[in-house]
Amino acid sequence: MIAVSLSAFSDDILQQPWKFEPGARLSLFYDDNVRLSVDDPEASLGGLAEIYGLLAWRTEKSSLGLRAAIDGSYYDDISELNTTDGSLDFTYDYRMSRVKFGLVTRLRYDSTLTSEDEADTTGVVQANKRRTSLEIGPSIGYDLTERARINAEYTFLDVSYEDAEAISLSNFQNSRLGFNTEYDLSERSRLLGRLSYEQYESDEVSQSSESFGVEAGFRFQFSERTTLSALGGARFASIKSDGTGQSGSDDENSSGPLLEVGLDRIYERGTLRLSLERSLLPSGRGSLLDTTIASVIVSSPLTERLTSSLTARGIRNRNPGDEVNANDRDYLILSPALRWRLNESSWLDLSYRYRWQDREVLDGIADSNSVYFGYGYDWGRR
């Protein structure tokens, strides 16, 4: 089967044309607390620049995409925060009569200022330290019948930090294996099931953990424009530690809920996306964290050229156990924006961003206000 897939893939590569779509974005900003510090916040003017390119190829049975990007940030009078980041994404999928193969690979070389700022876990943005992240995710799906499908997916994540000990972060590896099932009850309703196994290791703090999860749910399409999906269940984790890690505890077992709810609504003029998730996520704090994420994304065209949007996201991090320590964190980001399309390929952006953070072990709450004005050009939209 693999040989047949590779043969078909090579034939398609030779027969189908490739498409290259480059683009660039430039932004100016002002932030009144760039490090999101409780005491002595630092304000700064700055600029952001990104250059990217997408190489894509698609047929009726398969598709391939390769996206590379380089982006830099500049802070006036705070030169130690200046950073240049890079990323490389590769995606591939191939579908036979009943079988579907997939592969996703992501490579990031960035800074803790950006990677940890709005991340689901640490929020450690007080110093500019380099981070290297590699994620590899193969998957395979099979159609049992016209109504029933199964899917197996594996994800390997390796994250390392420069001078991690200086910023209380730890290099780690995380592996996740998942089995998903789907069964169509009707044209509008679908039953969902999921089993998962996850293994986390952070050698620097001598900590590792294993977790198992089981979930069941449904997907229901109320209309052509409204869809609700929900998965719920439980997870069970076994954590082994020598007591030197960020979790601050020795070996323990814990359990808790798993949840994934999403509502999508398409209006005549605009879209709405609501989501709520709770799960164990790997972090640079030396442990898995019990993380709850709620988000709202709204987009609405005001005129033929002008579009408004609102993005709100709340994150709550806790240790899998009951103890309170430096990992406990509440974070909120709120960002309304306007986009004015100059032509088919270019646009102007104006946005405001509010960030709020509260850590259990620190006295006081940190927040920041920032304004962005940007220009973008995508050659692929010509």
Side-chain angles (χ1 to χ4, degrees):
M1 185 177 294
I2 295 176
V4 172
S5 176
L6 292 175
S7 176
F9 171 68
S10 61
D11 290 342
D12 283 343
I13 285 288
L14 296 175
Q15 296 175 6
Q16 300 298 325
W18 289 77
K19 180 171 63 174
F20 180 63
E21 299 180 356
R25 297 175 184 175
L26 303 172
S27 296
L28 298 175
F29 70 88
Y30 171 80
D31 194 326
D32 64 4
N33 188 357
V34 294
R35 300 178 194 262
L36 203 57
S37 301
V38 175
D39 301 318
D40 300 324
E42 295 179 83
S44 178
L45 288 167
L48 305 173
E50 180 186 21
I51 300 175
Y52 58 90
L54 173 64
L55 185 64
W57 158 87
R58 180 180 296 274
T59 70
E60 293 182 356
K61 293 184 178 181
S62 58
S63 66
L64 182 149
L66 180 64
R67 186 183 190 275
I70 298 177
D71 59 275
S73 58
Y74 168 79
Y75 294 83
D76 187 32
D77 297 328
I78 315 179
S79 60
E80 66 269 22
L81 298 186
N82 297 343
T83 181
T84 301
D85 301 337
S87 64
L88 184 65
D89 296 340
F90 174 83
T91 60
Y92 172 71
D93 65 77
Y94 180 79
R95 185 171 185 88
M96 301 171 68
S97 58
R98 288 193 173 188
V99 182
K100 181 179 180 180
F101 299 93
L103 176 64
V104 176
T105 302
R106 298 185 179 95
L107 176 63
R108 299 284 187 276
Y109 181 69
D110 50 25
S111 165
T112 54
L113 296 175
T114 50
S115 65
E116 307 298 314
D117 181 14
E118 299 172 22
D120 304 331
T121 53
T122 72
V124 177
V125 295
Q126 281 68 45
N128 181 3
K129 297 297 182 180
R130 307 308 301 172
R131 185 194 77 145
T132 302
S133 172
L134 173 63
E135 182 176 353
I136 302 174
S139 64
I140 181 172
Y142 183 74
D143 295 342
L144 297 173
T145 66
E146 291 184 356
R147 290 189 171 189
R149 292 164 294 280
I150 58 174
N151 172 268
E153 54 188 9
Y154 172 77
T155 303
F156 172 77
L157 175 64
D158 182 277
V159 175
S160 60
Y161 300 92
E162 173 194 50
D163 299 330
E165 65 281 356
I167 51 177
S168 301
L169 293 175
S170 303
N171 302 337
F172 67 89
Q173 292 182 341
N174 192 76
S175 300
R176 185 182 187 278
L177 180 63
F179 294 95
N180 306 298
T181 61
E182 297 181 356
Y183 182 79
D184 297 337
L185 294 175
S186 66
E187 292 184 357
R188 291 190 174 185
S189 59
R190 177 180 300 175
L191 292 179
L192 308 173
R194 178 182 297 166
L195 295 174
S196 61
Y197 168 77
E198 196 159 357
Q199 186 177 59
Y200 175 93
E201 292 185 3
S202 181
D203 293 336
E204 291 183 329
V205 295
S206 301
Q207 180 153 309
S208 63
S209 63
E210 293 181 322
S211 61
F212 300 86
V214 55
E215 299 172 82
F218 66 92
R219 183 177 185 270
F220 186 78
Q221 189 172 359
F222 292 96
S223 66
E224 293 183 356
R225 297 183 176 182
T226 305
T227 302
L228 173 67
S229 62
L231 273 169
R235 52 87 179 164
F236 307 90
S238 174
I239 304 170
K240 298 180 180 181
S241 172
D242 63 2
T244 62
Q246 293 292 332
S247 64
S249 62
D250 295 327
D251 297 0
E252 63 175 323
N253 296 319
S254 72
S255 60
L258 292 174
L259 183 66
E260 185 176 326
V261 180
L263 175 65
D264 292 281
R265 170 68 176 170
I266 300 176
Y267 297 94
E268 298 230 351
R269 295 178 62 84
T271 59
L272 170 67
R273 168 67 176 171
L274 304 176
S275 65
L276 176 65
E277 301 178 28
R278 183 171 179 179
S279 62
L280 288 179
L281 294 179
S283 79
R285 301 290 290 182
S287 66
L288 290 169
L289 294 183
D290 188 352
T291 304
T292 303
I293 306 172
S295 65
V296 179
I297 302 175
V298 183
S299 177
S300 177
L302 302 178
T303 67
E304 185 178 343
R305 289 178 176 266
L306 183 63
T307 300
S308 65
S309 64
L310 173 67
T311 301
R313 197 161 187 254
I315 300 172
R316 182 180 179 88
N317 296 323
R318 294 295 184 268
N319 277 303
D322 297 328
E323 70 280 356
V324 176
N325 63 21
N327 292 335
D328 293 357
R329 168 191 180 231
D330 295 320
Y331 178 80
L332 172 67
I333 180 171
L334 179 67
S335 180
L338 292 172
R339 170 167 291 188
W340 178 265
R341 184 160 293 282
L342 300 174
N343 52 51
E344 188 177 347
S345 302
S346 62
W347 62 89
L348 295 175
D349 284 320
L350 177 63
S351 62
Y352 164 78
R353 185 183 70 170
Y354 175 75
R355 292 181 296 160
W356 177 94
Q357 182 169 267
D358 182 19
R359 293 186 180 275
E360 290 288 332
V361 299
L362 298 178
D363 294 329
I365 295 174
D367 65 353
S368 81
N369 301 273
S370 54
V371 179
Y372 294 80
F373 177 73
Y375 169 79
Y377 192 95
D378 192 334
W379 280 267
R381 301 189 183 186
R382 289 182 296 177

